[in-house]
Amino acid sequence: MATFRLRVVTPERTVFDQAVNEIITRSVEGELGILPHHIPIITPLVAHVLTVYLEDQSVHHLAIAGGFLEVNEQGSLILADAAELSEEIDLPRAEAARDRAQTRIDQGGEDHDLHRAQRAMARALSRIAVAQDVKSGNRGNATLLVE
Amino acid sequence: MAGGGLQALRRRIRSVQNTQQITRAMKMVAGAKLRRAETRARNAHDYFNAIQAITAHAVEGTSMPHPLLVERPLKTTGMVVITSDRGLAGPYNAAVLRQAVQHIKTHPVPDTAVLVVGRKGRDYFRFRNQRLLDEFVNLGDEPTYRHARVIADAIIGHYLEHTVDVVYLTYMQYINAMNQVAKTIRLLPVERPEMDKAGPSRRYLFEPEAEDVFEELLPRYLEVIIYGALLDSKASEQGARMMAMDSASKNAEELIRKMILERNRLRQAMITREIAELVGGAEALS
């Protein structure tokens, strides 16, 4: 099967750089699957679980904390605010972040704060989903519906 | 009298030795900080280049009149200048400020306003009665992305309010510990790459709409450029300080060496004179 190059870059480091068969990501518009020879596209991403299908049939999940996707004939580039592979995730920390965000959402408050709390929640949930996915040995699609 | 001169010289040697101890310590500290700053700057480079590429691709393929892309008649130039909070960094701050002033002179626009990062730059422009729009000081040894965001927000705010019509950034590009280059780049309006006659190399699909993508991408682009510049500047500052302290230590070494020679000569002369006096005294007695 044809492959294309996927790079996931954050301000801290390059998290992922390999040839892949397919990726499933999530833009502000909704879920988006990219196969080789996809038309050039640029779109903002929300916090989500990125699913990557490698050449050897293995599946990887990455927690992406929002950013941008660019696809062109050279491959796909994800510019993420933060991104972690499942084994790198600090689960207790993500759970603490989720609880913090939940408290803030429960308290209500200004629209701006609420919006921020919701985004923090989405980031925390994507991390937790990716981390737990490994524990449970689940190799299926763990795409989260967070909004 | 000769004994007095010797005393003073000894005191002077001790004083220079103390100074040398301080410059040596400062060199070590700068070296350690440089390593950290350099790693941070290196790691951010991929992201920096990637967002530049995406932005260039996005901007090239569209004629969207986004406010951050539109060229306006120039009444006021905004200069963002990144300097350090502390001195003793050799020619670091002077080089950045010289480059900024040079840029203002060679790009004549009726008015110039400065957004300055770092205490050294603030003091410099204040002393010269330059109009300061914002000042950001005490960023510490490890500037964060949050700092960059605050600065980028301020720049975009001034730009959208027409306080400034074009914004340039002057910072010290880090090449290696011994080599840094003061550089000025244009931040706003975001530059469109030169287009080939054939038009853009490829047409991108924007989702949801080009407008929405730019609304997200352009402020982020600015933040990342500033973040990268802050990290580069910090690495450059530590590099410049390390070099300055290294040469200060070497100069002290040289000075000490010369003074020790002089001290030994004086001491020898004194002993010789004492012997001569003894011999003279013995002869007079015999």
Side-chain angles (χ1 to χ4, degrees), chain B residues 86-211:
Chain B
R86 297 202 223 166
L88 289 181
Y92 171 76
N93 287 304
V96 173
L97 293 168
R98 197 184 321 115
Q99 161 76 24
V101 169
Q102 184 69 24
H103 188 271
I104 294 171
K105 273 190 195 144
T106 49
H107 291 67
V109 166
D111 193 15
T112 306
V114 177
L115 291 88
V116 72
V117 179
R119 201 172 289 135
K120 288 286 160 186
R122 181 193 65 185
D123 295 349
Y124 176 90
F125 286 114
R126 244 193 212 163
F127 184 73
R128 282 159 187 77
N129 288 321
Q130 176 67 54
R131 185 152 71 97
L132 290 178
L133 288 179
D134 282 299
E135 46 189 67
F136 307 93
V137 296
N138 287 330
L139 264 58
D141 283 328
E142 300 197 346
T144 62
Y145 196 83
R146 195 168 296 203
H147 288 129
R149 182 171 297 164
V150 171
I151 296 167
D153 283 348
I155 294 169
I156 293 173
H158 290 305
Y159 186 77
L160 293 181
E161 284 164 18
H162 290 238
T163 316
V164 293
D165 304 300
V166 61
V167 184
Y168 292 95
L169 166 70
T170 304
Y171 72 104
M172 196 64 112
Q173 190 182 19
Y174 180 78
I175 294 163
N176 57 44
M178 270 167 260
N179 202 355
Q180 298 108 28
V181 185
K183 216 177 142 186
T184 301
I185 56 172
R186 191 172 89 170
L187 292 179
L188 290 176
V190 175
E191 256 168 314
R192 286 168 197 271
E194 289 291 315
M195 250 192 250
D196 294 337
K197 287 200 183 73
S201 39
R202 51 179 100 81
R203 289 209 74 84
Y204 280 93
L205 181 71
F206 293 106
E207 257 189 32
E209 295 295 329
E211 215 176 330

Side-chain angles (χ1 to χ4, degrees), chain A residues 47-98:
Chain A
H48 70 290
V49 178
L50 170 74
T51 310
V52 179
Y53 297 93
L54 293 183
E55 254 182 302
D56 58 6
Q57 305 300 315
S58 66
V59 185
H60 286 249
H61 297 290
L62 281 88
I64 304 284
F68 295 92
L69 166 74
E70 180 195 27
V71 180
N72 61 32
E73 67 279 5
Q74 285 160 18
S76 292
L77 173 62
I78 290 179
L79 214 54
D81 302 348
E84 289 105 21
L85 290 160
S86 45
E87 56 270 23
E88 299 164 349
I89 290 172
D90 184 345
L91 189 58
R93 194 178 147 191
E95 282 168 347
R98 175 194 59 194

Side-chain angles (χ1 to χ4, degrees), chain A residues 7 9-14 27-29 32 38-45 66-74 77 79-81, chain B residues 40 43-48 50-54 57-58 145 149 202-208 212-213 216-218 220 224 227 231:
Chain A
R7 284 206 299 151
V9 182
T10 71
E12 277 79 38
R13 71 212 165 94
T14 297
S27 81
V28 289
E29 290 277 84
L32 189 65
H38 195 282
I39 57 162
I41 182 173
I42 296 178
T43 183
L45 301 177
F68 295 92
L69 166 74
E70 180 195 27
V71 180
N72 61 32
E73 67 279 5
Q74 285 160 18
L77 173 62
L79 214 54
D81 302 348
Chain B
R40 277 164 56 92
N43 290 348
H45 248 187
D46 280 345
Y47 190 80
F48 187 84
I51 200 160
Q52 260 185 327
I54 287 194
H57 291 159
Y145 196 83
R149 182 171 297 164
R202 51 179 100 81
R203 289 209 74 84
Y204 280 93
L205 181 71
F206 293 106
E207 257 189 32
D212 306 308
V213 173
E216 294 260 348
L217 183 61
L218 295 180
R220 177 61 53 87
V224 173
Y227 184 58
L231 294 183

Side-chain angles (χ1 to χ4, degrees), chain B residues 4-18:
Chain B
L6 193 57
Q7 240 346 291
L9 196 59
R10 282 195 177 126
R11 221 171 279 139
R12 185 95 207 285
I13 290 172
R14 220 168 299 135
S15 150
V16 175
Q17 274 169 342
N18 285 338

Side-chain angles (χ1 to χ4, degrees), chain B residues 16 20 244-257:
Chain B
V16 175
Q20 189 193 26
M245 289 304 122
D246 184 56
S247 63
S249 304
K250 283 194 184 127
N251 288 344
E253 191 67 54
E254 177 65 18
L255 202 58
I256 292 167
R257 199 182 58 82

